[in-house]
Amino acid sequence: MLQYILKRFAYILVALFVIVTITFFLMRIAPGSPFASEKSLPPEIEKAMNEEYGLNNPWYIQYKDYLISTAQFDFGQSMKYKDRSTNDMIAESFPVSLTLGVEAMLLAVGLGVLIGVVTALYHNKFPDYLGTIIAVLGISVPSFILAGLLQYFIGLKAGWLPISGWNGFAYSILPALSIAITHMGFIAKLTRSSMLEQNSSEYVKMARAKGIGKWTTVFKHTLRNALLPVVTYLGPLFAGVITGSFIVEQIFAIPGLGKYFVTSITNRDYTVIMGTTVFYSIILLLGVLIVDILYGFIDPRIKLKGAKKS
């Protein structure tokens, strides 16, 4: 297992190098400059600012400097926010995005697995039809439309929950639901399909022949094997509920990292764009690694197979 983890870390480093390289050159070949919007900026001041941030250096010098600083987890100073570094912005706002993302992920996994199990157990019956409709609606409705609907009906009309801001648990419920429902639909469909496959297996038929109850069979036998596709989805899900919350954070006026990321794209703030992109890439790659490790705990056969190969 240790050799496998070290090998995967080597792959992660290679992937990060490719991501950093692509991000750097995409920013450099894009038209305009970070100071193009400053209409009243004198040419000499703009030249001095380009010199300060190294934008006048040859591309290979800029590329080398950026690789070195990124390797040291130093994403540089913002070109738009005075005396603010990208690291400071991440440290300040990422915990908010992380809290919202984790809450959305727990809702998505919990509700999705529950709906998937119920629809599989009552296959071709009313609970199955109802759960399938809920899952399909969750997949079909974009999170930003759902966010507006929740704000209007639950927040504004009913007055049950706040519609914007970040000042306690109540403020996170509507945005977390907006992010979670789409992923919940995918997880419900995955769980249902996997459960139906497991229900037709020989070991489930044997358990039922011994008189073991339906729900006991689910929790002791079926669910563990049926969760493998869901675990596969957890890595991209973890990154998706955080990176996918950019628009939702804007709608609900949440001071997360999405606010800086969206603003940095508008302002062409190179350092913030590249820093947040690399940061979220690290999260995604580590999430996929954790999912692969979890396979060994959920299905020991995968762990033994990996041990033989190593």
Side-chain angles (χ1 to χ4, degrees):
M1 179 63 72
L2 180 60
Q3 291 180 358
Y4 173 77
I5 293 175
L6 293 176
K7 185 178 180 181
R8 288 300 302 272
F9 266 116
Y11 290 152
I12 288 175
L13 292 177
V14 174
L16 283 176
F17 172 77
V18 175
I19 291 171
V20 168
T21 301
I22 293 175
T23 305
F24 174 84
F25 286 106
L26 284 177
M27 289 296 99
R28 289 303 179 267
I29 65 177
S33 71
F35 313 113
S37 61
E38 307 292 343
K39 301 299 182 181
S40 60
L41 196 65
E44 57 273 13
I45 296 181
E46 181 176 354
K47 181 179 178 181
M49 295 182 71
N50 286 329
E51 190 70 31
E52 178 182 355
Y53 289 103
L55 298 179
N56 289 335
N57 294 331
W59 66 267
Y60 50 87
I61 299 294
Q62 297 182 45
Y63 178 58
K64 179 206 64 163
D65 293 340
Y66 185 67
L67 283 179
I68 294 174
S69 61
T70 302
Q72 298 171 347
F73 290 98
D74 179 9
F75 299 122
Q77 294 290 321
S78 170
M79 298 180 180
K80 288 293 184 178
Y81 294 92
K82 187 178 180 181
D83 299 327
R84 295 294 305 277
S85 69
T86 306
N87 293 57
D88 292 337
M89 295 180 185
I90 293 174
E92 174 189 309
S93 57
F94 179 68
V96 176
S97 297
L98 180 63
T99 301
L100 180 60
V102 169
E103 185 176 338
M105 186 174 69
L106 292 176
L107 286 171
V109 174
L111 294 176
V113 170
L114 177 61
I115 293 174
V117 170
V118 171
T119 54
L121 288 180
Y122 297 93
H123 184 47
N124 288 334
K125 296 180 180 179
F126 176 74
D128 185 16
Y129 301 142
L130 179 61
T132 302
I133 291 173
I134 294 173
V136 171
L137 286 176
I139 296 172
S140 303
V141 180
S143 59
F144 59 89
I145 293 179
L146 186 60
L149 294 174
L150 291 176
Q151 278 183 322
Y152 181 75
F153 289 106
I154 297 181
L156 188 61
K157 288 293 185 180
W160 293 341
L161 293 168
I163 61 175
S164 65
W166 188 261
N167 190 23
F169 176 73
Y171 288 80
S172 67
I173 296 177
L174 290 184
L177 281 173
S178 303
I179 300 169
I181 288 179
T182 298
H183 300 286
M184 176 206 71
F186 280 109
I187 293 174
K189 298 291 286 183
L190 285 172
T191 306
R192 179 182 180 275
S193 300
S194 186
M195 284 286 295
L196 289 175
E197 181 181 351
Q198 295 297 323
N199 286 341
S200 61
S201 60
E202 294 297 328
Y203 74 92
V204 173
K205 294 178 181 178
M206 179 65 70
R208 290 178 178 175
K210 291 181 179 180
I212 300 176
K214 180 185 296 186
W215 288 99
T216 303
T217 304
V218 168
F219 289 112
K220 285 190 174 181
H221 303 284
T222 315
L223 187 59
R224 182 173 182 176
N225 293 325
L227 283 179
L228 282 175
V230 177
V231 173
T232 305
Y233 187 63
L234 286 182
L237 170 64
F238 181 69
V241 294
I242 298 175
T243 58
S245 65
F246 289 167
I247 298 177
V248 174
E249 287 182 5
Q250 292 290 101
I251 294 174
F252 287 94
I254 296 174
L257 189 55
K259 175 186 69 175
Y260 290 115
F261 186 75
V262 174
T263 305
S264 66
I265 295 175
T266 305
N267 294 336
R268 299 185 57 80
D269 196 342
Y270 290 157
T271 52
V272 178
I273 295 173
M274 293 188 293
T276 51
T277 300
V278 173
F279 181 74
Y280 278 123
S281 300
I282 294 173
I283 293 175
L284 176 59
L285 293 171
L286 291 178
V288 173
L289 173 61
I290 293 173
V291 166
D292 289 342
I293 295 174
L294 286 177
Y295 277 148
F297 294 97
I298 295 177
D299 191 346
R301 292 171 299 177
I302 298 176
K303 184 177 181 179
L304 291 175
K305 185 177 180 182
K308 290 179 181 178
K309 287 184 177 181
S310 61

